[in-house]
Amino acid sequence: MDSSTTAQAGGRNAPDCMRAQALAALAATQWQEKLARVRAIGDDARLDCLRVFASVDGLPGRPPQPELVPPPQVKQRSMATQEGRAALLHALAHIEFNAVNLALDIMWRFAGMPEAFYRDWLRVAREEALHFDLLRRRLDAMGYAYGDFPAHNGLWDMAERTRDDVLARLALVPRTLEARGLDASPMIRNKLAGAGDAESAAIVDIILRDEIGHVAIGNHWYKQQCALAGKEPVACYAELALRHDAPRLRGPFNLEARRAAGFDDAELAALQAG
């Protein structure tokens, strides 16, 4: 589905509807258009105007490059070379591109949530778009472009598995896969800084700062949905992780960042227990 078809599918009020605009941005196949559409979604956009979609095909929209390969085929390269550092930044850019799509997808896919839910995820989409653009510009300065290296699609694979369950989506995308970025960012930042790439390290600092807030949003809405369903969050998480075959998380964990993102002591104890 192209973005024009998406806008028509939303009905007469689609241009003014935040969720329809999110769907149009999600469907955009070129990163330039996707980022422009995210920026164009206004804070005053309406929320009550999107019709229920029976099915939407071809999501998310993405450019023909990078080539998507299984995770083991994404090669690790030495930080001692500019190509190696560019490959790492490219991998981060692809994660951020997927994160833009994930925020847009949760906005349009799940109807009937509180207004604050959609506004929270719009904030996330905007910040993920900024992260992608920072990394893309840094790659450009190094003589590379987004699409120059293969990438894997692990984040979106989990989105597909949780497409019919907002509680599972909240548990297993922001609180699991995206929270792994909180654990990995200090090591990545130190690798780049140790290789003398202070400019790239500074971008990772920005991403970590913002991602704490994004995971906090996931935690807030996960716990709100658990409370509505009468479920205990730790036990519910374990059940959802098993049902949807979530990856087993292994340390080391960035406990300071996870606490700042809203994980409580019981959740962190369960995480460390494996």
Side-chain angles (χ1 to χ4, degrees):
M1 169 181 289
D2 64 25
S3 52
S4 62
T5 303
T6 301
Q8 293 170 7
R12 183 173 56 188
N13 294 321
D16 301 321
C17 177
M18 180 184 292
R19 293 178 60 226
Q21 289 180 73
L23 179 54
L26 180 64
T29 57
Q30 298 301 315
W31 65 260
Q32 296 92 334
E33 181 188 0
K34 192 179 297 286
L35 267 58
R37 284 185 175 274
V38 169
R39 296 186 189 110
I41 303 173
D43 290 325
D44 57 351
R46 296 174 58 190
L47 288 169
D48 59 350
C49 50
L50 186 67
R51 295 178 183 174
V52 175
F53 290 84
S55 65
V56 180
D57 298 323
L59 297 178
R62 57 166 62 95
Q65 299 296 326
E67 176 190 5
L68 299 181
V69 299
Q73 294 183 25
V74 179
K75 297 178 181 178
Q76 300 293 318
R77 292 175 168 85
S78 170
M79 291 296 96
T81 68
Q82 179 147 305
E83 182 186 31
R85 295 191 295 277
L88 175 58
L89 293 178
H90 187 277
L92 295 178
H94 186 66
I95 289 170
E96 297 300 323
F97 185 82
N98 265 329
V100 175
N101 284 331
L102 288 164
L104 295 168
D105 188 75
I106 203 171
M107 287 174 67
W108 88 266
R109 185 175 297 279
F110 298 105
M113 300 295 287
E115 179 177 332
F117 176 90
Y118 302 107
R119 301 205 182 279
D120 276 349
W121 291 107
L122 175 59
R123 171 194 149 191
V124 173
R126 288 168 171 167
E127 291 180 355
E128 304 289 20
L130 171 63
H131 299 166
F132 172 81
D133 206 37
L134 288 171
L135 291 162
R136 181 197 65 78
R137 290 174 184 272
R138 181 62 184 143
L139 281 169
D140 184 66
M142 296 169 72
Y144 295 89
Y146 178 60
D148 282 354
F149 299 92
H152 71 78
N153 212 33
L155 271 175
W156 190 259
D157 289 344
M158 184 57 75
E160 288 289 344
R161 289 185 233 168
T162 58
R163 63 186 300 159
D164 298 320
D165 184 348
V166 68
L167 185 58
R169 172 67 65 87
L170 292 165
L172 301 178
V173 175
R175 299 182 76 251
T176 301
L177 299 184
E178 292 186 89
R180 290 301 283 160
L182 306 184
D183 304 325
S185 287
M187 179 180 65
I188 293 170
R189 186 227 181 264
N190 290 339
K191 281 185 177 181
L192 290 166
D197 192 345
E199 195 167 347
S200 296
I203 294 173
V204 176
D205 285 337
I206 293 169
I207 292 172
L208 176 59
R209 178 199 69 197
D210 292 345
E211 292 297 340
I212 289 172
H214 300 173
V215 176
I217 287 170
N219 268 320
H220 168 76
W221 290 109
Y222 170 74
K223 291 173 182 177
Q224 187 257 12
Q225 289 292 296
C226 281
L228 285 178
K231 296 179 180 291
E232 193 282 317
V234 174
C236 180
Y237 177 83
E239 188 272 326
L240 290 169
L242 181 64
R243 183 193 308 171
H244 295 282
D245 194 27
R248 184 178 178 183
L249 302 182
R250 303 180 187 277
F253 300 108
N254 188 343
L255 298 180
E256 179 182 0
R258 283 178 174 268
R259 286 192 181 96
F263 287 94
D264 61 29
D265 289 342
E267 291 169 313
L268 293 176
L271 181 69
Q272 292 174 287

